[in-house]
Amino acid sequence: MEMYKRMIARHISALLDQVGEEEITALLDYPQHAAMGDICLPCFKLSKLYRKSPQHIAEQLTERLSSDMIERVEAVAGYVNIFLNKGKLAKQIIEQILGQADSYGSRNIGQGKTVVIDFSSPNIAKPFHIAHLRSTVIGHSLHRIFSFLGYSSIRINHLGDWGTQFGKLIVAYKLWGDEEQLEKHGIDDLLKLYVKFHEKAEQQASLEDEARQWFVRMEAGDEEALQLWHQFVNISITEFQRIYDLLGVEFDSYAGESFYNDKMEQVVSELEHKQLLEKDEGASLVRLDAYHMPPALILKKDGSSLYHTRDIAAAIYRKSTYNFEKAIYVTDYAQNLHFQQWFKVIELMGYEWHRDLLHVAFGRVSLEGMGLSTRKGNVIKLEDVLMQAIAKTKDIIEARNPSLNDKDKVAKEVGVGAVIFNDLSSSRIKDIVFTWEDSLNFEGETGPYVQYAHARASNVLKKATQKLGQEGVVLDGGLAMLTDDASIQVIKQLAQFTEKVELAMHKLEPSIISRYAIDLAQSFNQFYHHNPILNAQDEVRQARLALVKAVQITLRNALYLIGLAAPEEM
Ligand code: ARG
């Protein structure tokens, strides 16, 4: 619809002498109800400028506004309501979608620009938490959105693979660990060791000192320490990889926190040089009192680095390596302060690009009311959640469509899709609750619902080819005949896809795409109920089939952008 907005803005600004096209475009809106037109111009701001009543301005514009794309114009209560020529709209939009196919909705606005997206970033030796899942699906979707808009987008998994906790693990492993157990139980075993360490350390404080020493040895490059650490890392990554495979997520870089080990000295001396570093009881920190924040800790008493230190080193490294236009960090909002603090440190260091650092924060996920905390070892494993989703979906499919081929593949695409979609279904900052009933409901506002609409469209097209043969399905016909309310509703939504993709990018908000996909699927289902397709008379059938094809393409592209597969049958 953006192009119609621009076309109308051009006409209107030509009628007004003080207001430019851009300003009018920004004022134009989509009315809530079809009875109020397809696009409208509220005249309240113009009223102040021209010192005339909004209705007076609306009437004057209404008299003079005309174009062959416009069917009629009305002035109502200070609004100019513009009704587009439906036949022309239908023809233009559908031809555009069928022509562009997989690239419908994409643009080149990011050409030559790079974004780096730091997402997922689970912690080694700890289970993949449900918050990491949300980070993974939001980050992955942002990656696809940016790429679709022409950016080069770098996916970074900033693994939590460095820090004092590895000293603790080494101590625990040396005391109570066992090679065989570790091979067999992987992260579960590491988690047990970690929990045991904390229990024991409560009585025996010397354990903490030992752990600190081991971490200092790691930072100094001690061979034994690093060899054990390596083992923990490898075991963890193997487990994470299984989840990424299920989700269909890949990364360009697994440079985790440890990668910056040899880049931190430089940061520390730069901070010193810029006189930002202060000593406080042996530790080094950057004071942020002036900005109403607690200090950013840079070095502990024993000289070891911290989470902040590694993020600062990583940002400087990424700027020089990728020369990003934006660096995005996807974590839950519990880390808001952490990011505000070190973004401020980057600013104080004098780096202009501190403005390009963006924290994309999201809300908590709970499973049917239960928190999913990893404390006390009482964990719900994410891999189990995904496997259960697949199994439950298989049961549903078995009942709905027993003759379906390739049930396992479809169950995986739909089950995993349901979990992903649930994470993206409301604006990211909101806390969400995961329930099986809601996420897997084929009739609710869910991933399966959108996938099902896509499968329905694919099925109609397949049947048409079976019935009429390849040549029988000519996807043009009288597109201009698609003027009934249900068809026009779908067409107007199809026309909005490109702007939704851009909006999702600007707001860093994949839920804009998932919401859009739901709306489009709903109006497509309305269309489907009101309009016979295969039994319609020739030209009408062809036009309707073309519309179905346009919906299929657009739903598939939307699903792709949020990281869901689009099975043709389900
Ligand atoms: N590993 C961290 C965690 O699990 C998330 C890291 C986010 N990225 C970053 N550059 N700090 O909480």
Side-chain angles (χ1 to χ4, degrees):
M1 290 298 265
E2 188 70 19
M3 66 184 187
Y4 299 104
K5 267 193 180 171
R6 259 187 247 120
M7 177 273 294
I8 288 168
R10 200 163 50 240
H11 282 284
I12 293 181
S13 75
L15 298 173
L16 298 170
D17 37 81
Q18 296 180 47
V19 197
E21 207 177 304
E22 288 297 310
E23 287 161 83
I24 298 290
T25 312
L27 288 177
L28 289 172
D29 207 348
Y30 303 120
Q32 292 284 355
H33 303 288
M36 285 155 25
D38 303 310
I39 292 177
C40 64
L41 177 74
C43 296
F44 306 97
K45 288 214 175 110
L46 297 175
S47 153
K48 294 209 183 82
L49 182 67
Y50 291 108
R51 295 167 194 275
K52 285 187 188 137
S53 77
Q55 180 61 13
H56 181 83
I57 296 173
E59 278 166 14
Q60 283 200 317
L61 287 173
T62 300
E63 265 167 43
R64 295 161 64 202
L65 185 61
S66 78
S67 129
D68 60 351
M69 266 312 294
I70 298 177
E71 189 180 85
R72 72 195 152 90
V73 189
E74 286 171 1
V76 181
Y79 281 82
V80 181
N81 292 340
I82 300 153
F83 297 78
L84 296 172
N85 180 315
K86 297 194 171 63
K88 288 208 167 103
L89 179 68
K91 189 163 153 46
Q92 273 188 4
I93 297 298
I94 294 178
E95 280 174 356
Q96 187 191 356
I97 298 174
L98 268 46
Q100 298 186 343
D102 286 353
S103 58
Y104 177 61
S106 70
R107 292 192 59 187
N108 253 338
I109 54 181
Q111 191 106 54
K113 297 179 200 157
T114 300
V115 293
V116 298
I117 309 182
D118 174 321
F119 68 105
S120 193
S121 311
N123 300 320
I124 295 299
K126 296 212 182 138
F128 197 100
H129 192 270
I130 201 110
H132 294 123
L133 174 72
R134 202 159 186 213
S135 170
T136 308
V137 305
I138 292 174
H140 182 233
S141 173
L142 291 176
H143 163 73
R144 287 197 166 170
I145 292 170
F146 274 101
S147 308
F148 207 55
L149 292 174
Y151 286 83
S152 142
S153 159
I154 313 286
R155 296 158 290 187
I156 301 181
N157 196 336
H158 189 74
L159 291 171
D161 60 359
W162 207 246
T164 349
Q165 70 271 30
F166 294 97
K168 296 179 186 174
L169 262 184
I170 293 178
V171 173
Y173 183 72
K174 286 177 84 73
L175 285 173
W176 314 294
D178 171 295
E179 180 93 42
E180 222 173 277
Q181 288 293 316
L182 185 57
E183 287 302 322
K184 199 158 146 215
H185 300 292
I187 291 179
D188 287 347
D189 193 49
L190 292 172
L191 187 66
K192 262 197 210 126
L193 289 171
Y194 193 69
V195 172
K196 185 157 180 182
F197 177 90
H198 281 279
E199 281 165 14
K200 298 282 175 190
E202 269 174 34
Q203 291 121 40
Q204 197 186 334
S206 64
L207 286 175
E208 295 277 2
D209 290 331
E210 259 181 73
R212 266 191 290 276
Q213 280 157 23
W214 273 106
F215 182 56
V216 173
R217 283 173 69 174
M218 276 170 64
E219 292 213 303
D222 175 274
E223 210 173 303
E224 186 188 357
L226 287 181
Q227 191 244 321
L228 284 167
W229 167 78
H230 253 297
Q231 205 178 342
F232 304 151
V233 171
N234 289 339
I235 283 173
S236 308
I237 290 189
T238 312
E239 287 198 36
F240 298 157
Q241 193 58 50
R242 286 206 299 270
I243 292 172
Y244 295 137
D245 288 347
L246 278 172
L247 295 170
V249 171
E250 288 171 60
F251 294 90
D252 301 296
S253 160
Y254 275 88
E257 296 187 33
S258 66
F259 179 79
Y260 302 97
N261 193 25
D262 62 355
K263 299 173 180 59
M264 276 177 306
E265 235 174 70
Q266 172 75 37
V267 171
V268 173
S269 57
E270 194 177 328
L271 286 167
E272 254 162 11
H273 185 73
K274 293 183 172 165
Q275 299 185 339
L276 293 167
L277 218 53
E278 248 180 65
K279 285 265 183 221
D280 188 69
E281 297 181 13
S284 306
L285 45 80
V286 178
R287 289 225 178 269
L288 299 170
D289 306 19
Y291 313 97
H292 314 289
M293 288 188 275
L297 275 180
I298 302 296
L299 293 176
K300 290 192 190 166
K301 290 214 272 290
D302 60 16
S304 59
S305 68
L306 288 118
Y307 189 36
H308 271 135
T309 332
R310 299 188 281 272
D311 258 329
I312 295 167
I316 295 172
Y317 173 83
R318 289 174 193 173
K319 183 65 192 175
S320 71
T321 309
Y322 303 110
N323 193 24
F324 56 74
E325 204 207 39
K326 284 188 179 71
I328 291 166
Y329 298 83
V330 190
T331 80
D332 86 8
Y333 57 60
Q335 298 196 31
N336 281 357
L337 178 63
H338 167 76
F339 285 97
Q340 281 159 12
Q341 285 175 302
W342 76 258
F343 287 0
K344 185 53 95 180
V345 175
I346 295 280
E347 180 184 346
L348 294 175
M349 289 173 93
Y351 291 117
E352 272 306 307
W353 48 266
H354 74 91
R355 290 195 187 81
D356 309 325
L357 303 170
L358 304 172
H359 180 215
V360 170
F362 58 83
R364 297 270 164 86
V365 191
S366 50
L367 191 61
E368 316 229 55
M370 286 189 285
L372 280 176
S373 137
T374 64
R375 250 185 236 154
K376 306 256 146 79
N378 144 39
V379 222
I380 296 158
K381 288 185 79 183
L382 189 65
E383 202 179 346
D384 295 343
V385 175
L386 291 171
M387 295 319 280
Q388 264 197 67
I390 296 172
K392 284 180 195 278
T393 306
K394 184 142 181 232
D395 292 344
I396 298 176
I397 291 176
E398 209 72 75
R400 288 172 61 108
N401 188 0
S403 62
L404 177 72
N405 291 322
D406 231 349
K407 287 199 192 87
D408 286 320
K409 180 164 175 277
V410 177
K412 181 179 157 227
E413 292 176 342
V414 176
V416 171
V419 177
I420 296 177
F421 196 94
N422 184 71
D423 263 339
L424 300 177
S425 57
S426 41
S427 47
R428 58 180 156 78
I429 204 64
K430 282 202 187 141
D431 291 340
I432 51 175
V433 179
F434 179 87
T435 72
W436 291 113
E437 297 80 68
D438 291 346
S439 316
L440 292 180
N441 183 352
F442 278 46
E443 263 86 53
E445 301 190 340
T446 61
Y449 177 79
V450 178
Q451 286 172 318
Y452 189 69
H454 170 269
R456 168 176 276 170
S458 308
N459 192 39
V460 173
L461 293 162
K462 194 172 118 197
K463 282 211 182 112
T465 324
Q466 279 165 359
K467 188 168 163 186
L468 309 162
Q470 207 60 263
E471 303 79 50
V473 189
V474 184
L475 297 179
D476 53 14
L479 293 179
M481 294 190 306
L482 295 169
T483 55
D484 62 284
D485 288 350
S487 305
I488 283 299
Q489 173 66 11
V490 174
I491 288 163
K492 285 202 295 198
Q493 251 154 11
L494 290 172
Q496 283 184 32
F497 184 49
T498 313
E499 16 185 327
K500 294 290 181 184
V501 178
E502 258 182 71
L503 189 65
M505 178 201 80
H506 285 302
K507 300 210 152 161
L508 302 159
E509 188 65 89
S511 67
I512 290 175
I513 309 278
S514 22
R515 184 69 249 169
Y516 171 80
I518 292 282
D519 291 342
L520 178 58
Q522 282 172 348
S523 24
F524 172 64
N525 286 336
Q526 286 291 323
F527 161 83
Y528 184 82
H529 286 299
H530 290 295
N531 294 292
I533 302 173
L534 294 178
N535 295 327
Q537 148 272 335
D538 274 3
E539 235 194 331
V540 177
R541 183 185 60 227
Q542 287 176 2
R544 288 185 183 156
L545 282 172
L547 178 61
V548 173
K549 181 80 190 164
V551 169
Q552 182 206 33
I553 290 171
T554 309
L555 282 178
R556 196 188 327 128
N557 293 359
L559 285 168
Y560 171 81
L561 290 180
I562 49 178
L564 269 72
E568 303 248 315
E569 266 183 277
M570 60 186 268

